[in-house]
Amino acid sequence: MHTDRLRPVLLPVAAVAVAVAIGAAIVLAAGASPVAAATAIWVAAFSGTDAIAATLEKATPLLFAGLAVIVGVRAGLFNIGAQGQLLVGAITSAYAGYRLAGLPPAVHLPLCLAIGILSGALPALLAGVLRATRGVHEVIVTIMLNTILVNLTDWLAGGPWMEQGQPVSRTPAIAGSARMARVAGLPVGFLLAVAMAFVVWFVLDRTTFGFRLATVGANRNAAHYAGISVAGATVAAMTLSGALAGLGGAVESLGIVGRFEPGFNAGLGFDGITIALLARVSPRAVIPAAVLIGALRASSTQLQARARLAPEIVDVVLAIALLLVAAPLILRWLLRLRPGSCRTEVQLTRGWGA
Amino acid sequence: MKRSWTGRPVPPNGLVAGSLLAAAFVAYGIWGFRATAVLGFAVRSSTPLALAAMCGILCERTGVINIGIEGQMLLGAFAGFFGAAAFGVVAGVAAAVVLGALVGAFLALCAVTWRVDQIIAGAVINIAAAGFTSFLYRPGRVIGSLPTWRIPLLGDLPLLGPVLFRAQPLTYLTFVVVIGLQVALFRTPWGRRTTAVGEHPGAADTVGIDVARYRYGNVVAGGALAGLAGALLSVEITGSFDRGMTAGRGFLALAIVIMGRWRPALAWAAALFFGVLSGLVNQLNFDRVFDVPPQFVAMLPYATTIVVLAIFSTRVRPPAAAGRPYP
Amino acid sequence: MSGRREGDAGAPLLEARGLTKRFGSVVANEDVSLQLRRGEVLGLLGENGAGKSTLVKMLFGLHRPDSGEIRVGGEVVRLRSPRDAIGMGIGMVHQHFQLVPVMTVAENVVLGAEPTRHRFVDRRRAAAEVQELSERFGLAVDPDAVVEDLPIGAQQRVEIIKALYRGAEILILDEPSAVLTPEETDELLRVVAELAAGGVGIVFITHKLREVMDAADRVVVLRDGRVVGEVAPGDTDEAGLAALMVGRSVVLRIDKQPARPGGTVLEIRGLEVDDDRGRRAVQGFDLEVRAGEIVGVAGVQGNGQRELAEAICGMRPRSGGCVLLREHDVTRLGARAIHDLGVAHIPEDRNKHGLVGSYSVADDLVLNRFDEPGFARWGRRERAAVRRWAEQLIIEFDVRTPGVEAPADSLSGGNQQKLIVARELSRESVLVVAAQPTRGVDVGSIEFIHRQLVAARDRGAAVLVISAELEELLAVSDRIAVMRSGCVAAMFDAGSVTSEAIGLVMGGAAGH
């Protein structure tokens, strides 16, 4: 019983450990000191309240992105577009944040969050509808939307919504009435994200709605037989996924950056995939996965300063970890595990068609 | 419609793309005398897309979905540029091809031998490629550019001469690859067997065709083409390397595969269609006919893709076994 | 056949000696021996699950025997793959055709052994060779037709030509008549005779007695993985073969009281339904099923039965006509609404529609009832209640599983089917639609499922059983409708009709 409960944890932990080991070897090969790198990460990510808060702030949008990917995967959909949905969520909430200054905080903040959620959900809704009604694969549509939305937010931040009299393209600062503060040193946005992880877990694992999504994801023909609307579940899952990403963007703008700046979270969408797979598509496991990656991301300047390492070493380590999780056979072989002792196998692909 | 697979009647989206292309070209050529510039841009910007789409066609026709083309291209661009900087242009291109093929072998290993979900395997490739190329990137290197070859006689043709026959070597290579693949897929035993493996691996297996071998072979060859597409971008077209320089072209190639109905020549036409579209808008902007922000010009092919797929996707039929491990 | 070498006259063309094959603890074949001579048709007879498929898969190199040997022309051969078997002159027509739908007949025939000219496929020669083979053996096909546009019978002819093109002297036909109309079957038997006359040795696998009586020179009977008899059709009759095949005299008929039909429950008038490719599969279909009776629908596969069942249960849009359930029009309702009106549906394909393989037995037992009161409240699933319900059902319906939390795909086919039957028959329903309720199920489970269907009838439900097995329909039905070309061709009283009479209508004779 005891080992059975440990098993689901074993694979991702082993994957991260092996990836870190390989990362250390790369650091050595690059002529730097792994010890210095480890120290840099520790100092930057965990030494003192400010460092921890910074780590959690980095982890916040990652958590949302990971949850967004998970909601899709449960229904058999791969939302690669969390990136773009996050960006629109971030810029629209920032716009509402500076434009609607003067509203009382109790109205302003929730309104900005809602606007972020809606604007993240909208592009995902489009992808879901195209998938459900026209059979266009969501991977293609969300990728196309990523590029479109990156360009759109770029243009907004450097054009109509640009802060006047500034050389860089960014929006004006968000009014105080829409800012999310820290509570007892913890960023409120992170607490919101953790709460959201539990909400998503409950919805997916304990409700009839979650059962519908999972049935469509596992066997859409059986779902059709059982009278579950495949199209409805597809659209619902994509919309919910986009809403989570949009909320993540809004939290980033309102709670961390304080405005919208293009490029502040490039690569977030892919980090979301990494986190979702590291967490083995389990909403609650996203919390530690996001904190881990947040810590690595938070330490990038320290890595450069203390260990003279390009901060992209983090991407390399994450890519290796992801690879090990996606292809558990490599790990089994490396660690001589008994076959069947770690089942991950997430299946998404049913071909390009409907 | 069904017969289009065997190569005969022209499918409707080819017609639409073709006529749009022709109409745009004629209208603007007559009106602005800018046809050469627009078409030249179209050919230049479409060759990496076409080559990457050939990778997609090879993989999917044999039953493996490859969304890692973007990553393979990026690695190809990286290896091509730094290989060229260190050992010369030919070595750079060779390095790109080899690296692309190796990544293809990894995808085949995941998809065929380990039966990992193919979309996840492809996403892993993209993430890893972005991470490695960013980590290893060092600014400040320069490379020599590839020569421009002018084909005798053909190069002197009006319009077509400068557009098609005064190009650089990898562009010519792309022409050869596309035409060669088109013929090979529909006319050679290898092509028919590849199609059979992607449509009905069981049928191929029972007549003694080694499904795994065909999948490995085609995915590796596809990877080599994607690597070459990356080198085309960094070594031939721009002469430089930047982090994330493929900028979604690998994903666009996937859409082009679908629009081209898994047929090389038609996919090339679809890639050209994007090229003409962007070229036209660029030229119109340049001529100050209207003033579109550059971000909107950049979005154009992606937005068009969504619209085109939304209209046509219900009528295309992907290889039946794409994405499914066998046995 | 011209140009064919004369083999050693003494040695059989194909011989199996003591073949044994196990899958885990299950013995699929044990000590199986048989011989096939040149120009001979060998009938291989056995029930579903008797081990016929495993045996022929070993003969075609798809499985490797655990022990025993295979000889071709007197010499021991090792068949590691179909390629080896093809090289030894063995051809096989699979039960599920192994043809690439989007390619032409000629392309399919030459696939893997293409005639070439300058490294290109020589299409003209390919077409010519197909034409030649097709004329020589009277196998009419158009070399340039695309396979997916051909009817089933023609696709089967393509498969036979495919084997002959590869120089097959030994032809294995796996349940070749399962998907054919009686007319097409007659045509097939004619072709088989012609091939045998040309010197080809044929292994003809079937569980249909009449076909082996008509076509075979010799019959080998398999039961539980062993050879239980070898007879010439002249020395026995159908009853004798049947007794050998099942090991007891055939009593498929189960004890049941005569039906006491009540009011009309299901009324179908002029129903029109399209298949997946948009062709009209059901047209002008009329039927009435009353409470307390079992109506069977017989017919050759592909005459609209699947579409009919899916249309009644709301899984497929109806293009015309109407379906009345206890006088309410349900023609436009979806699957869930019809289910909620008390219609139970045992779907034809249990793995595709009936189950989610990765779900636990408990979740699959409430697959279409997961949100009913008792299993969920305020949108929250009552998982403990579901588990208790499941534990009760697996006992009641004898579903053999390690527990209700075990994944459904870890169960055997028979137990998966019993799981579906348990789910569908465990609640009060006014109509039960059972499509191929015992397909691929072991004999013990078949009886159990039949008894459950009769029990549902006796509780007052109207029961519609759609099946490709005439024996099954004769066993459980009170009335039998024969479906042909999408409509009811004839209606019989099950008590007084013979399978011959039904077969005649299935194959195109005028109805009553």
Side-chain angles (χ1 to χ4, degrees):
Chain A
M1 199 60 210
H2 194 63
T3 48
D4 278 352
R5 303 198 70 173
L6 272 178
R7 263 176 196 164
V9 186
L10 184 65
L11 177 82
V13 169
V16 171
V18 173
V20 166
I22 297 174
I26 295 175
V27 168
L28 265 181
S33 153
V35 179
T39 321
I41 292 172
W42 177 257
V43 169
F46 297 112
S47 66
T49 2
D50 276 356
I52 290 174
T55 296
L56 297 184
E57 281 178 347
K58 279 282 180 199
T60 306
L62 295 172
L63 224 167
F64 281 111
L67 290 175
V69 172
I70 284 178
V71 170
V73 168
R74 280 292 172 95
L77 301 162
F78 205 29
N79 179 10
I80 271 189
Q83 166 94 43
Q85 295 146 15
L86 235 126
L87 280 175
V88 272
I91 198 167
T92 54
S93 60
Y95 175 74
Y98 76 78
R99 198 63 215 268
L100 305 176
L103 288 172
V107 177
H108 197 186
L109 178 59
L111 183 67
C112 291
L113 287 173
I115 286 172
I117 290 172
L118 279 179
S119 52
L122 216 61
L125 172 73
L126 174 69
V129 168
L130 284 177
R131 172 67 196 239
T133 62
R134 312 291 302 170
V136 189
H137 203 284
E138 76 281 356
V139 166
I140 301 259
V141 177
T142 53
I143 285 172
M144 300 293 135
L145 283 170
N146 266 349
T147 317
I148 292 171
L149 295 173
V150 167
N151 278 297
L152 185 71
T153 51
D154 228 34
W155 172 72
L156 284 172
W161 294 357
M162 187 172 158
E163 188 176 19
Q164 296 305 309
Q166 287 289 327
V168 288
S169 57
R170 60 180 201 188
T171 65
I174 292 163
S177 53
R179 291 298 302 267
M180 296 169 83
R182 285 183 186 177
V183 173
L186 288 172
V188 170
F190 180 76
L191 299 177
L192 184 63
V194 169
M196 218 24 108
F198 280 90
V199 170
V200 169
W201 163 76
F202 180 79
V203 168
L204 291 182
D205 283 12
R206 291 286 181 271
T207 67
T208 53
F209 174 75
F211 191 84
R212 279 174 224 272
L213 293 194
T215 307
V216 170
N219 181 345
R220 49 181 46 212
N221 292 311
H224 180 55
Y225 160 81
I228 297 166
S229 162
V230 174
T234 301
V235 173
M238 278 310 281
T239 310
L240 194 57
S241 175
L244 282 165
L247 177 57
V251 168
E252 178 91 1
S253 287
L254 305 171
I256 298 161
V257 184
R259 64 172 84 239
F260 178 86
E261 294 173 348
F264 77 95
N265 54 9
L268 262 181
F270 279 134
D271 274 353
I273 296 166
T274 310
I275 289 166
L277 292 179
L278 270 182
R280 299 171 40 128
V281 211
S282 151
R284 288 177 300 179
V286 161
I287 302 168
V291 170
L292 173 77
I293 295 182
L296 295 175
R297 292 265 175 246
S299 55
S300 66
T301 42
Q302 286 288 328
L303 273 176
Q304 223 153 0
R306 289 184 172 239
R308 299 186 187 289
L309 264 175
E312 282 83 7
I313 182 72
V314 172
D315 293 293
V316 173
V317 171
L318 288 182
I320 295 168
L322 179 59
L323 216 129
L324 294 173
V325 177
L329 279 155
I330 311 178
L331 256 192
R332 266 180 214 154
W333 178 76
L334 275 174
L335 303 176
R336 306 281 189 276
L337 292 175
R338 269 178 297 132
S341 63
C342 37
R343 297 196 353 166
T344 2
E345 293 78 329
V346 182
Q347 287 291 316
L348 292 165
T349 320
R350 290 172 308 270
W352 282 133
Chain B
M1 285 286 293
K2 267 160 199 154
R3 285 203 152 227
S4 68
W5 260 92
T6 58
R8 271 154 278 174
V10 184
N13 77 343
L15 268 179
V16 171
S19 50
L20 262 177
L21 215 129
F25 157 67
V26 169
Y28 195 67
I30 293 168
W31 169 52
F33 303 100
R34 295 288 194 280
T36 311
V38 171
L39 286 183
F41 177 89
V43 170
R44 266 197 315 285
S45 64
S46 68
T47 35
L49 288 176
L51 211 45
M54 295 309 118
C55 167
I57 289 175
L58 271 180
C59 295
E60 288 183 23
R61 271 206 173 248
T62 201
V64 177
I65 291 178
N66 181 0
I67 70 160
I69 297 178
E70 174 83 2
Q72 290 175 316
M73 277 179 86
L74 192 56
L75 286 167
F78 180 86
F81 179 79
F82 288 98
F87 307 107
V89 172
V90 176
V93 173
V97 169
V98 170
L99 190 58
L102 282 176
V103 178
F106 171 74
L107 176 66
L109 193 66
C110 287
V112 180
T113 307
W114 292 339
R115 303 163 66 88
V116 175
D117 182 278
Q118 294 174 6
I119 288 191
I120 292 175
V124 169
I125 289 174
N126 290 333
I127 293 168
F132 277 105
T133 53
S134 306
F135 178 64
L136 298 172
Y137 172 70
R138 299 285 177 275
R141 307 295 298 263
V142 285
I143 59 169
S145 64
L146 288 170
T148 298
W149 291 343
R150 186 195 182 109
I151 308 267
L153 296 176
L154 288 174
D156 300 328
L157 286 173
L159 190 64
L160 287 181
V163 168
L164 289 176
F165 302 111
R166 291 179 215 165
Q168 289 171 296
L170 296 184
T171 303
Y172 289 123
L173 186 58
T174 306
F175 297 168
V176 173
V177 167
V178 172
I179 295 166
L181 264 186
Q182 173 74 28
V183 174
L185 271 175
F186 291 100
R187 293 280 186 269
T188 66
W190 166 82
R192 299 328 288 154
R193 292 174 192 183
T194 292
T195 303
V197 167
E199 287 286 347
H200 194 328
D205 194 12
T206 50
V207 295
I209 295 169
D210 188 336
V211 173
R213 216 188 86 205
Y214 264 76
R215 288 191 169 171
Y216 263 94
N218 283 350
V219 173
V220 169
L225 290 181
L228 185 65
L232 182 65
L233 208 56
S234 66
V235 178
E236 184 168 290
I237 296 179
T238 62
S240 65
F241 179 84
D242 266 320
R243 290 190 171 117
M245 77 177 297
T246 43
R249 285 184 181 82
F251 298 123
L252 206 50
L254 281 176
I256 286 171
V257 170
I258 297 174
M259 282 181 246
R261 302 180 164 219
W262 295 267
R263 299 164 64 187
L266 208 56
W268 191 18
L272 273 172
F273 167 73
F274 280 128
V276 170
L277 204 65
S278 306
L280 262 180
V281 176
N282 272 336
Q283 190 65 37
L284 290 168
N285 248 358
F286 184 77
D287 292 347
R288 305 222 166 266
V289 176
F290 47 68
D291 189 24
V292 180
Q295 290 97 341
F296 283 84
V297 180
M299 282 183 214
L300 191 69
Y302 300 89
T304 318
T305 301
I306 294 179
V307 174
V308 170
L309 287 181
I311 296 171
F312 290 110
S313 64
T314 50
R315 294 190 227 161
V316 301
R317 194 165 62 165
R324 303 210 175 93
Y326 179 86
Chain C
M1 300 196 61
S2 58
R4 198 175 277 279
R5 66 190 155 81
E6 278 303 311
D8 175 6
L13 204 52
L14 177 71
E15 186 177 11
R17 286 192 188 173
L19 290 181
T20 298
K21 179 74 185 174
R22 290 185 192 82
F23 296 102
S25 60
V26 181
V27 182
N29 278 155
E30 193 171 1
D31 194 25
V32 172
S33 300
L34 55 80
Q35 292 185 345
L36 175 71
R37 287 184 273 272
R38 189 173 293 285
E40 179 187 48
V41 180
L42 177 69
L44 191 58
L45 188 68
E47 281 193 304
N48 289 330
K52 293 170 296 183
S53 293
T54 308
L55 175 59
V56 296
K57 278 181 177 164
M58 287 192 285
L59 295 179
F60 195 58
L62 285 163
H63 287 330
R64 263 184 267 178
D66 296 329
S67 62
E69 62 185 34
I70 297 167
R71 288 165 181 257
V72 174
E75 280 169 39
V76 178
V77 293
R78 272 243 178 111
L79 304 174
R80 274 162 308 217
S81 70
R83 185 193 283 271
D84 292 347
I86 293 166
M88 302 305 307
I90 302 172
M92 177 156 173
V93 175
H94 298 259
Q95 201 173 348
H96 303 287
F97 297 151
Q98 300 294 317
L99 297 170
V100 184
V102 297
M103 304 206 318
T104 67
V105 168
E107 281 178 325
N108 265 290
V109 169
V110 301
L111 184 66
E114 300 85 353
T116 55
R117 239 181 96 202
H118 310 302
R119 317 182 83 189
F120 290 102
V121 178
D122 189 342
R123 296 175 165 192
R124 206 173 300 162
R125 214 170 92 209
E129 297 216 23
V130 172
Q131 197 69 48
E132 198 260 335
L133 284 168
S134 124
E135 280 162 15
R136 175 140 49 111
F137 294 102
L139 292 152
V141 287
D142 168 14
D144 293 323
V146 175
V147 162
E148 66 184 346
D149 297 336
L150 296 177
I152 299 292
Q155 293 191 13
Q156 190 172 59
R157 292 197 288 274
V158 177
E159 282 278 32
I160 295 175
I161 292 177
K162 204 168 122 186
L164 296 174
Y165 172 80
R166 274 148 239 271
E169 299 185 312
I170 300 157
L171 194 58
I172 302 170
L173 304 174
D174 189 6
E175 300 273 1
S177 60
V179 290
L180 300 183
T181 64
E183 280 164 326
E184 284 175 323
T185 305
D186 289 344
E187 171 71 14
L188 171 73
L189 296 182
R190 188 190 60 69
V191 168
V192 165
E194 200 155 330
L195 289 168
V200 181
I202 293 164
V203 181
F204 192 102
I205 297 146
T206 185
H207 60 267
K208 294 182 183 164
L209 302 170
R210 200 147 41 93
E211 288 168 12
V212 285
M213 292 296 290
D214 286 355
D217 300 312
R218 216 149 42 81
V219 184
V220 168
V221 184
L222 278 184
R223 189 172 76 224
D224 300 330
R226 298 159 169 274
V227 175
V228 292
E230 187 177 330
V231 288
D235 301 340
T236 181
D237 57 6
E238 289 189 23
L241 280 177
L244 262 181
M245 186 164 85
V246 295
R248 54 189 150 86
S249 48
V250 226
V251 255
L252 252 177
R253 257 163 226 258
I254 51 170
D255 296 325
K256 59 172 193 200
Q257 304 295 314
R260 274 169 298 170
T264 300
V265 171
L266 175 71
E267 189 178 354
I268 304 171
R269 267 182 285 161
L271 186 66
E272 311 268 317
V273 189
D274 291 347
D275 66 11
D276 291 336
R277 285 153 73 185
R279 290 193 284 227
R280 198 46 58 92
V282 175
Q283 40 192 344
F285 187 95
D286 299 292
L287 188 69
E288 247 180 59
V289 185
R290 286 176 292 172
E293 72 165 347
I294 299 181
V295 174
V297 175
V300 176
Q301 264 180 56
N303 271 270
Q305 298 95 319
R306 189 163 75 89
E307 289 77 10
L308 172 70
E310 293 185 357
I312 295 172
C313 299
M315 286 174 67
R316 188 176 280 277
R318 286 123 292 195
S319 316
C322 63
V323 179
L324 302 179
L325 190 66
R326 294 212 282 199
E327 294 171 5
H328 297 293
D329 189 350
V330 298
T331 316
R332 313 225 165 276
L333 297 186
R336 191 53 202 257
I338 288 179
H339 168 91
D340 290 345
L341 286 171
V343 176
H345 179 200
I346 298 169
E348 174 177 327
D349 187 334
R350 64 173 162 269
N351 291 312
K352 187 175 176 193
H353 291 117
L355 291 171
V356 177
S358 56
Y359 276 6
S360 66
V361 168
D363 279 347
D364 268 321
L365 278 169
V366 294
L367 185 63
N368 48 13
R369 309 175 60 184
F370 62 93
D371 54 355
E372 285 177 10
F375 300 131
R377 192 154 39 135
W378 303 108
R380 179 171 188 260
R381 298 190 63 217
E382 302 265 349
R383 303 198 310 161
V386 169
R387 210 172 302 131
R388 278 195 303 275
W389 168 250
E391 268 156 10
Q392 189 186 326
L393 275 193
I394 61 170
I395 294 167
E396 197 177 320
F397 285 82
D398 190 33
V399 182
R400 311 269 167 87
T401 165
V404 294
E405 294 298 330
D409 54 15
S410 67
L411 271 54
S412 73
N415 280 305
Q416 290 179 342
Q417 191 69 15
K418 282 196 277 189
L419 188 162
I420 294 170
V421 170
R423 181 181 68 216
E424 295 305 312
L425 300 187
S426 59
R427 73 187 177 122
E428 286 307 310
S429 38
V430 293
L431 172 68
V432 176
V433 178
Q436 319 294 349
T438 59
R439 177 172 283 176
V441 164
D442 57 288
V443 181
S445 302
I446 291 177
E447 282 191 19
F448 181 85
I449 291 169
H450 285 170
R451 275 205 303 277
Q452 291 296 330
L453 289 171
V454 172
R457 177 200 77 166
D458 292 343
R459 285 197 301 269
V463 181
L464 186 67
V465 179
I466 297 166
S467 176
E469 303 290 332
L470 264 188
E471 290 300 321
E472 167 163 280
L473 292 175
L474 287 167
V476 300
S477 309
D478 301 309
R479 292 189 296 144
I480 296 178
V482 182
M483 193 167 180
R484 195 179 70 217
S485 308
C487 64
V488 175
M491 179 65 90
F492 296 102
D493 180 19
S496 56
V497 73
T498 59
S499 52
E500 285 74 15
I502 296 176
L504 218 56
V505 181
M506 278 164 62
H512 291 217

